[in-house]
Structure formats: structure tokens, C-alpha cells
């Protein structure tokens, strides 16, 4: 009877979550019948494609592949719809400051001491960023090896749903004119394109200040072709390893919000794949947790080695941002990034005004004191202690109490202290890189990441040159209305240096040394990337080197940040690769063009060979392994990055599956998730999945005007 009551309660809980999701989606004009909480997922399921990460790349990728195949999209966070923290522009800071378990932003601190955030919501980083939308340059596209015409089509596919033409307020207009006076010419007006000079870029905020995210691109999806599971925490990728062949990804293990374990497997078929789109932190982390990464590092956590790939987690980079706060004698509008100056020396100049984003001062009646006044928390936007950026105390003293004291002190400041804006510069590239490592075997915990800001002298030079341009803008005639005449640049530098920007030590000579100012006040602009880079971890088609049926398609594959802001290009990449995968698969399998093909579902008897990186792949139909450890032969693959070759060998039978300890010895106690996910058998589905109805020629998309408001 107890079991029945508990089981019924779980059903009711899942039903309530699902109904809430439907109501929130309907409020925004979407009806994603294919999205549900992971608690409603079956214990075992089968798909043509399994995409891990419903973020900036994962959503457009899933929407595209669903037109022809059965797709599972797994997102560890919840829905953005009906969540004011995501949808309302004025809640930008409050979202980053929210450290609750249900927050769409998960805070992490790099080993450099800089505060950062990673997304935890359907739509990914597009749900928590500053909203600027701009394409990569044509040179970037060609250098990466993408097709210029195809990327243009993919960008437009994205822009029809999420990109808008912002209307500039007085402060942003002054910044635009000031950049021109500072020599960042020509004036390119409004454009999505990356062009040297000053321009107004696109925005994912509409005329009402409502955010539109990558999750909106799921409007393109064929409902019968996709399942989206929310709050689905993927623990590891499952591999078929045996017979001396290359490891083959064949499934994933994930847990729902109630801790129940689920497995999703690929349908039988050589071209079915698992695709990681978990972001620059999540994708390399999950590869390592699944046994693909540096051998010694993985063994130190008792993770069974599938592929020794030292480059996983390498090449991590975060574009450093430095800013100067400019207090204003005049009122300023609340704005995020709208204008950018694209310089010739590798620095991008942007600005945001009205720093007290989420907490405009208001007076309320205090029933307990008979009409007293209440002052809500005050903040300096992204520079605030509310977001955890409290540099006045050492890291171990950054307690909630210390942050609360700083926020309380800030709340007592006069309104004039919050009136103004930040003019910032971002270093392109960057040239400085670091690495990512595991802290533990829990996929929900942040890995340890080091970015090595300004370790390369070129980045420091670009920062100094960018700050010099900002100084010219502040002194320009166009910006006079928004500056105090008696505030020198030295005063502004020292004022900014006192803000709680990061956890790095301060110096007294910041105003005298721009180099020191760059180092002391470095922040993130949330454009971190790398960890699964093309040419090191994945090939030009984003297939993981040395492993079959596994790709990585997200910002972790980038060797440099695209353009001034990457979100447009990452969304484009999801669409671009989705179309490319479909075209190549259908052409190779049937010799037909994509436009003339019907939905394709493969069976396990297909004989078309899969292109291999080095040598033949062989039959990818899974082979079961005996459970008895003495019969196990575990293939271990090693990747030599310098020479670009793989070697394969067999581990001896004294090692058990799922453990790096010899049989009969006391292995480290696995976590509950580890104990449940040590699996190497592959399930083969008998026959192809049921054929779904053909997709319509065009998705039912509500197109929005992109003209001036």
C-alpha cells in the first residue's frame, strides 16, 4: 500500500510538471507537445539520433534532424517559457545572481579566480546572455571550412525567428557617434554582418524587451520526429567495445529530477549517432566521464578508459573583457549590448547602460512600521556582489554573509551612483588558452577550468589598445551629455578598479598602468569555448576522432570565438550541421538529393560503409559481451595527436568492466550513479522504428518584423 501511494504521488507530480510546462508554452504562443519532464520518460527508449544538451546548438540541430529522423533531445535544465528570469531583459543580473538549484544559470569560478556562469535551461546560453546577435565574418567562415552560401541560409533560418532590429536610446546613440569620433569607421548602420567599423547589431530581445532564445527554433521541429526531455541529467555515454575494433557509441544513461535512471539507445543502423551539444564545459566533461580523455587523468578517478585522447579538455579559452564605468549626470536608458566598434587591431568595443538592471528603486508601504520605506537591493549589473563578484575579500571568505553585507552597503548609495553605463572592450580570439579537468565523477558539478587570461602578450596589447579607444569615446563631443566634465580618465579607471569584479588581487597603480588595469579588472563576457576542438578532438565533420557514432557540435569545437558575439554562429552551426548530416546521409544511402527524399529509417542489415578517420570501421552492429569478467577483452584505443594516428590494443582479462581495479582488489566505492551505469552491452532493436508521417514543406513559424520599431 505504501508503494502504491508513493507511486501515485510520483505520477501526480509528473502530471503537474507537464501541465505547468504546457501552460507556460501556450502563454508564449508555442505548443511543444513533444517536450516533457524526464520523469515521464520510459526506462528504455530508442532513437536515430540522441542529442545531449538542449542549448544554443542543440535546439536548432534537433529541430533540423527531426524533419527526417527520430530524435531525442536531453536537457538538464527546465523550460524558459514563463520564467521571468529568462524572458525579461531587466532580469539579466538577477538571473546571474540566482544560485538556487533551479536557476537557469549555474555559477562557476575558474581557477584564474574569475566568476562565470554556464546555462542550465532549454535554449542554453541564449537564455542568460546580453542578447547581442551578429554573424561571424566571411573570413572566419572560410577559415573554418564551412560553405559560405550554406551558412548564409542557416543564419537566415535562425534570424527569421529570434533576431530583431533594436531601437537605440540616447546613451547607445551617443556611444555609436562617439566610436565614429574615436576613429572606428565607417558607420555601417544596422547589420547582422561582421564588418570593420561601427555598427548596430541585432538583438534577441524584441520591442517589448522580451527575450527570444534557441528554444524558439524548436518551432521548426516535426512533432512526431522529436522528444525533448527536461531535467534529464546525462551521466555517461555507453560504448560498444570489443573485437579489437574502434569504440562505438550506442546509448546514454540519464537520470530524472527524482533520481530515477533511464537509458536511451540508438536504433540499429550504421549512420545513427549520439551528438554532444552540452557546451564548452559540458561536452569535454561528459567525454571524460564516459572514458574518452587523458588516460592518467581518467584513471585517477577510476574511470574505465575507452579512448586515450589527451586533447579532450585542452584549448579552453575565454575572451577577456574589461570595462570602464562612466557615471552620468543625465538619465540613461536601460540597455544591453546594441552597438559595437570592430577595430582593426583585434578589440571589440561595446556598451551597456542603466546598471541597476533588476531592482529599480521603489517605495512600498511597510505594514509592520506604519508606512515605512523599503529599499530593495541595488546592483551594478554584471559588476555586482549579487552575482558573486566580491573582490574585496579572499575566495574562502566569500560567504553568503559577506555578499549580503556588500549588497546591503550598496543599497544605501544614492541614485546618482547607479546612473551611467559601462563601456567595455573584448579581446578577439583569444590567443591565451588553458585546460579543463574533472573535479569528481558527478556530471552535475562544475569541472575545474583554467583560461590563463592574458598569458599571451598579444591579448594584453589588444586590451590596452581597446581601453585607449574607450578613453577617446568618453572624451568625445558626442558623449559629453553622459560624462561629468571634472571626472578624469584616471579617476574613472581607479573607480572601476574598486568594483568587486573578480577575485584577483588589486594593485595601487591601475590608473598608471593600463596593462595592470587589464589584469586586475579582467572579467568574462561568457564567450568561453574549446575543449573539443576541430583537428584535435573532432574532425572537420565534428566526428569524435577514434570513436564511431559520436559527434560534438557546439562551442567546445571552436578554436576562436566567432565575431564579436558567438551565439548567432553557434545557433547557425546547429542548423548548418543538421542539414549537412541529412544531405550526406540521404545522398550516400539512396543516391538522392535531400529535397526529393522521403524520411529514411534504417535497419541493422545496411551495408553502406561509414567513412573512417584512419582505416576501415567494420561492422557497427553491436556484439554482446559476456558478463563474466574472466572472458572480457576490453579494447583500449590511444590517439597520438602529434602524428594523428591511433593504436588499438586489448586489456587483459584481470580487469572488470566499469572499473580500473584488478578483480579481487578493493576498488574505490563508486557513487550511486556510477554503480548503475557501468554497462557495455548493446541492445539491438529488431527492425526499423515505425515510420512517421511526412513533414510539411514548411514549418509553422511565426515570423517577426525586423525593421525599426
Amino acid at each position: 500500500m505504501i508503494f502504491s501511494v508513493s507511486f501515485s504521488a510520483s505520477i501526480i507530480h509528473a502530471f503537474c510538471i507537464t501541465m505547468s510546462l504546457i501552460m507556460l508554452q501556450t502563454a508564449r504562443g508555442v505548443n511543444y507537445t513533444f517536450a516533457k519532464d524526464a520523469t515521464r520518460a520510459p526506462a528504455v527508449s530508442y532513437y536515430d539520433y540522441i542529442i545531449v544538451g538542449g542549448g544554443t546548438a542543440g535546439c536548432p540541430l534537433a529541430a533540423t534532424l527531426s524533419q527526417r529522423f527520430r530524435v531525442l533531445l536531453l536537457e538538464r535544465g527546465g523550460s524558459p517559457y514563463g520564467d521571468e528570469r529568462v524572458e525579461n531583459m531587466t532580469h539579466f543580473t538577477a538571473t546571474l545572481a540566482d544560485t538556487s538549484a533551479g536557476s537557469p544559470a549555474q555559477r562557476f569560478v575558474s581557477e584564474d579566480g574569475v566568476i562565470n556562469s554556464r546555462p542550465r535551461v532549454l535554449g542554453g546560453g541564449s537564455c542568460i546572455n546580453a542578447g547581442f546577435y551578429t554573424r561571424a565574418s566571411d573570413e572566419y567562415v572560410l577559415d573554418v571550412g564551412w560553405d559560405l552560401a550554406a551558412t548564409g541560409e542557416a543564419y537566415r533560418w535562425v534570424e527569421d525567428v529570434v533576431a530583431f532590429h533594436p531601437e537605440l536610446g540616447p546613451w547607445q546613440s551617443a556611444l555609436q557617434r562617439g566610436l565614429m569620433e574615436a576613429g572606428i569607421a565607417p558607420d555601417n548602420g544596422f547589420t547582422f554582418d561582421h564588418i570593420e567599423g561601427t555598427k548596430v547589431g541585432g538583438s534577441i530581445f524584441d520591442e517589448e524587451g522580451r527575450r527570444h532564445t534557441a528554444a524558439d527554433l524548436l518551432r521548426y521541429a516535426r512533432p512526431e520526429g522529436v522528444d525533448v526531455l527536461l531535467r534529464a541529467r546525462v551521466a555517461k555515454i555507453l560504448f560498444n567495445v570489443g573485437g579489437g575494433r574502434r569504440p562505438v557509441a550506442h546509448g546514454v544513461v540519464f537520470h530524472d529530477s527524482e533520481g530515477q535512471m533511464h537509458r536511451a539507445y540508438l536504433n540499429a543502423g550504421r549512420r545513427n549517432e549520439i551528438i554532444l551539444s552540452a557546451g564548452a564545459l559540458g561536452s569535454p566533461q561528459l567525454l571524460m566521464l564516459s572514458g574518452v580523455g587523458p588516460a592518467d587523468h581518467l584513471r585517477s578517478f577510476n574511470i574505465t578508459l575507452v579512448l586515450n585522447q589527451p586533447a579532450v579538455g585542452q584549448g579552453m579559452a575565454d575572451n577577456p573583457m574589461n570595462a570602464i564605468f562612466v557615471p552620468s549626470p543625465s538619465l540613461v536608458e536601460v540597455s544591453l549590448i546594441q552597438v559595437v566598434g570592430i577595430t582593426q587591431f583585434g578589440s571589440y568595443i561595446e556598451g551597456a547602460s542603466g546598471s541597476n538592471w533588476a531592482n529599480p528603486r521603489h517605495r512600498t508601504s511597510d505594514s509592520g512600521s506604519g508606512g515605512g520605506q523599503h529599499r530593495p537591493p541595488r546592483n551594478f549589473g554584471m559588476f555586482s556582489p549579487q552575482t558573486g563578484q566580491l573582490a574585496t575579500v579572499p575566495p574562502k571568505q566569500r560567504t553568503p554573509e559577506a555578499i549580503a553585507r556588500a549588497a546591503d552597503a550598496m543599497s544605501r548609495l544614492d541614485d546618482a551612483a547607479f546612473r551611467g553605463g559601462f563601456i567595455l572592450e573584448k579581446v578577439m580570439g583569444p590567443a591565451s588558452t588553458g585546460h579543463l579537468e574533472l573535479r569528481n565523477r558527478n556530471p552535475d558539478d562544475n569541472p575545474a577550468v583554467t583560461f590563463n587570461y592574458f598569458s599571451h602578450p598579444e591579448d594584453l596589447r589588444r586590451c590596452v589598445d581597446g581601453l585607449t579607444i574607450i578613453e577617446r569615446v568618453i572624451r568625445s563631443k558626442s558623449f559629453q551629455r553622459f560624462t561629468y566634465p571634472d571626472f578624469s580618465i584616471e579617476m574613472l579607471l581607479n573607480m572601476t578598479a574598486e568594483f568587486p569584479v573578480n577575485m584577483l588581487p588589486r594593485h595601487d597603480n591601475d590608473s598608471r598602468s593600463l596593462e595592470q588595469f587589464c589584469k586586475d579588472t579582467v572579467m568574462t563576457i561568457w564567450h568561453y569555448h574549446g575543449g573539443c576542438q576541430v583537428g584535435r578532438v573532432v574532425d572537420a565533420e565534428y566526428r569524435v576522432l577514434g570513436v564511431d557514432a559520436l559527434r560534438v557540435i557546439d562551442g567546445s569545437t571552436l578554436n576562436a570565438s566567432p565575431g564579436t558575439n558567438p551565439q548567432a554562429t553557434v545557433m547557425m552551426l546547429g542548423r548548418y550541421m543538421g542539414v549537412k548530416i541529412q544531405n550526406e546521409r540521404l545522398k550516400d544511402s539512396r543516391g538522392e538529393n535531400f529535397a526529393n527524399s522521403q524520411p529514411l529509417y534504417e535497419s541493422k542489415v545496411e551495408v553502406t560503409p561509414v567513412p573512417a578517420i584512419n582505416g576501415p570501421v567494420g561492422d557497427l552492429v553491436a556484439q554482446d559481451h559476456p558478463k563474466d569478467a574472466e572472458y572480457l577483452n576490453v579494447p583500449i584505443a590511444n590517439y597520438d595527436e602529434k602524428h594523428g594516428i591511433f593504436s588499438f590494443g586489448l586489456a587483459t582479462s584481470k580487469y572488470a568492466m566499469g572499473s580500473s581495479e584488478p578483480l579481487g582488489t578493493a576498488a574505490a566505492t563508486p557513487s550511486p550513479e556510477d554503480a548503475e551505469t557501468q554497462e557495455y552491452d548493446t541492445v539491438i532493436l529488431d527492425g526499423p522504428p515505425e515510420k512517421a508521417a511526412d513533414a510539411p514543406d514548411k514549418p509553422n513559424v511565426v515570423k517577426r518584423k525586423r525593421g525599426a520599431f
Side-chain angles (χ1 to χ4, degrees):
M1 182 64 182
I2 295 176
F3 171 79
S4 299
V5 172
S6 175
F7 183 70
S8 299
S10 298
I11 294 176
I12 294 173
H13 176 67
F15 176 77
C16 292
I17 291 177
T18 302
M19 292 305 297
S20 298
L21 179 62
I22 293 174
M23 287 187 290
L24 293 176
Q25 292 172 354
T26 303
R28 275 290 302 272
V30 298
N31 185 20
Y32 293 161
T33 57
F34 45 78
K36 59 186 176 183
D37 194 86
T39 53
R40 298 186 58 207
V44 178
S45 56
Y46 306 89
Y47 293 87
D48 300 323
Y49 288 94
I50 300 171
I51 301 174
V52 179
T56 315
C59 286
L61 179 62
T64 301
L65 291 176
S66 73
Q67 293 298 321
R68 301 285 167 174
F69 308 105
R70 282 285 293 150
V71 179
L72 174 63
L73 180 62
L74 298 169
E75 167 53 45
R76 70 190 186 112
S79 170
Y81 299 109
D83 189 339
E84 285 294 300
R85 297 171 299 181
V86 171
E87 295 187 334
N88 192 325
M89 182 182 71
T90 62
H91 286 243
F92 172 69
T93 297
T95 302
L96 298 180
D98 184 357
T99 59
S100 67
S103 172
Q106 181 178 355
R107 179 179 299 172
F108 71 94
V109 183
S110 72
E111 300 303 294
D112 315 272
V114 175
I115 312 295
N116 216 316
S117 290
R118 59 190 295 205
R120 182 170 51 194
V121 60
L122 185 68
S126 66
C127 294
I128 63 173
N129 64 18
F132 197 59
Y133 183 97
T134 181
R135 300 181 179 186
S137 67
D138 289 351
E139 292 77 13
Y140 184 99
V141 170
L142 294 174
D143 286 345
V144 172
W146 298 331
D147 180 86
L148 200 58
T151 56
E153 293 175 1
Y155 274 124
R156 288 187 290 273
W157 183 89
V158 172
E159 289 153 8
D160 282 344
V161 176
V162 304
F164 299 85
H165 180 174
E167 181 180 7
L168 300 188
W171 193 91
Q172 288 283 347
S173 296
L175 174 61
Q176 181 185 22
R177 296 191 302 272
L179 284 166
M180 291 292 297
E181 283 191 51
I184 311 303
D187 181 359
N188 295 309
F190 168 73
T191 179
F192 292 141
D193 294 332
H194 184 94
I195 311 171
E196 284 187 2
T198 297
K199 75 165 195 170
V200 178
S203 176
I204 62 173
F205 292 104
D206 63 22
E207 67 274 21
E208 297 177 352
R210 309 297 292 182
R211 183 190 295 270
H212 298 264
T213 75
D216 291 6
L217 298 174
L218 289 170
R219 295 167 182 253
Y220 285 110
R222 179 172 62 95
E224 298 82 5
V226 64
D227 288 326
V228 177
L229 296 182
L230 303 177
R231 301 176 188 87
R233 299 153 38 245
V234 176
K236 68 186 299 183
I237 304 164
L238 302 175
F239 290 94
N240 173 28
V241 289
R245 298 188 178 97
R246 292 156 57 106
V248 182
H250 71 89
V252 299
V253 173
F254 65 95
H255 295 79
D256 61 34
S257 58
E258 297 179 353
Q260 295 299 310
M261 186 179 69
H262 307 258
R263 289 183 175 87
Y265 294 100
L266 292 177
N267 285 328
R270 292 177 181 272
R271 297 195 180 278
N272 296 336
E273 293 176 309
I274 294 169
I275 303 176
L276 293 184
S277 296
L281 266 61
S283 288
Q285 179 187 26
L286 190 54
L287 280 178
M288 290 184 186
L289 291 173
S290 305
V292 178
D296 291 342
H297 182 56
L298 301 190
R299 286 176 178 138
S300 70
F301 290 95
N302 289 329
I303 296 174
T304 300
L305 186 65
V306 173
L307 172 66
N308 178 24
Q309 172 46 291
V312 174
Q314 298 300 307
M316 296 297 301
D318 188 20
N319 301 82
M321 176 183 73
N322 296 84
I324 297 177
F325 178 66
V326 187
S328 172
S330 305
L331 294 176
V332 300
E333 74 270 15
V334 174
S335 69
L336 289 173
I337 310 301
Q338 296 177 334
V339 172
V340 60
I342 300 175
T343 70
Q344 295 181 350
F345 52 78
S347 182
Y348 305 132
I349 314 299
E350 303 172 346
S353 62
S355 306
N356 196 29
W357 303 112
N359 299 298
R361 177 168 295 183
H362 60 275
R363 300 176 185 273
T364 60
S365 177
D366 187 340
S367 59
S369 59
Q373 295 182 356
H374 170 68
R375 290 188 173 208
R378 316 297 299 283
N379 69 70
F380 273 109
M382 64 184 75
F383 291 81
S384 301
Q386 288 94 329
T387 63
Q389 304 185 99
L390 189 61
T392 56
V393 297
K396 292 184 178 180
Q397 298 178 28
R398 286 183 70 251
T399 63
E401 292 77 16
I403 293 175
R405 287 194 297 270
D408 180 67
M410 185 173 287
S411 71
R412 302 176 189 279
L413 295 176
D414 187 77
D415 280 342
F418 295 89
R419 193 166 57 224
F422 293 95
I423 304 179
L424 60 92
E425 65 80 32
K426 166 195 168 180
V427 171
M428 70 174 290
S432 305
T433 61
H435 61 278
L436 176 149
E437 295 179 334
L438 298 176
R439 294 185 189 274
N440 53 44
R441 295 174 64 164
N442 186 346
D444 293 331
D445 288 350
N446 292 317
V449 59
T450 303
F451 294 118
N452 291 323
Y453 298 101
F454 296 121
S455 61
H456 196 288
E458 183 66 14
D459 293 338
L460 195 57
R461 181 192 66 78
R462 288 169 172 167
C463 176
V464 171
D465 289 346
L467 291 175
T468 302
I469 295 297
I470 293 177
E471 179 180 352
R472 295 179 190 171
V473 173
I474 294 172
R475 289 177 170 171
S476 69
K477 292 183 62 176
S478 298
F479 216 72
Q480 284 181 348
R481 175 184 170 187
F482 299 106
T483 58
Y484 286 95
D486 54 343
F487 273 35
S488 67
I489 294 298
E490 289 74 18
M491 290 177 62
L492 295 178
L493 290 174
N494 284 326
M495 180 188 304
T496 304
E498 292 301 315
F499 286 170
V501 176
N502 55 41
M503 293 159 52
L504 300 177
R506 291 282 187 248
H507 296 78
D508 295 330
N509 66 338
D510 283 332
S511 66
R512 295 189 295 273
S513 169
L514 288 181
E515 290 87 353
Q516 196 63 55
F517 180 87
C518 289
K519 294 177 180 179
D520 285 350
T521 66
V522 63
M523 294 182 64
T524 181
I525 196 169
W526 306 285
H527 296 171
Y528 52 89
H529 52 277
C532 298
Q533 291 177 311
V534 171
R536 303 184 69 184
V537 176
V538 299
D539 66 10
E541 301 302 321
Y542 301 91
R543 300 184 184 97
V544 176
L545 296 167
V547 175
D548 288 320
L550 181 63
R551 300 195 200 218
V552 181
I553 300 176
D554 59 21
S556 71
T557 64
L558 302 177
N559 292 298
S561 183
T564 62
N565 300 68
Q567 72 164 339
T569 300
V570 178
M571 283 189 274
M572 179 280 296
L573 179 60
R575 169 63 176 177
Y576 175 86
M577 284 306 300
V579 171
K580 192 170 186 179
I581 289 170
Q582 289 190 95
N583 282 343
E584 292 179 351
R585 176 168 177 170
L586 291 166
K587 180 180 179 181
D588 291 346
S589 299
R590 291 191 169 186
E592 299 175 357
N593 292 326
F594 169 67
N596 298 322
S597 298
Q598 297 299 315
L600 172 67
Y601 296 98
E602 301 174 340
S603 71
K604 62 186 178 183
V605 299
E606 182 194 8
V607 295
T608 305
V610 178
I613 305 303
N614 288 292
V617 175
D619 187 2
L620 300 191
V621 177
Q623 298 181 0
D624 291 344
H625 295 285
K627 292 291 184 181
D628 298 328
E630 60 266 29
Y631 295 110
L632 295 177
N633 286 313
V634 184
I636 301 298
N638 292 276
Y639 178 53
D640 183 341
E641 182 180 5
K642 180 178 180 181
H643 299 95
I645 60 176
F646 291 90
S647 60
F648 295 87
L650 294 178
T652 64
S653 60
K654 68 178 182 179
Y655 288 94
M657 282 293 182
S659 171
S660 59
E661 294 293 331
L663 294 178
T665 63
T669 302
S671 69
E673 289 188 346
D674 295 329
E676 291 178 318
T677 60
Q678 294 170 353
E679 173 181 330
Y680 285 81
D681 290 337
T682 296
V683 175
I684 302 177
L685 184 66
D686 292 330
E690 181 180 354
K691 183 176 180 180
D694 291 345
D697 293 334
K698 294 183 179 180
N700 184 17
V701 177
V702 178
K703 294 191 177 182
R704 295 172 175 81
K705 182 180 179 182
R706 291 180 300 178
F709 302 128

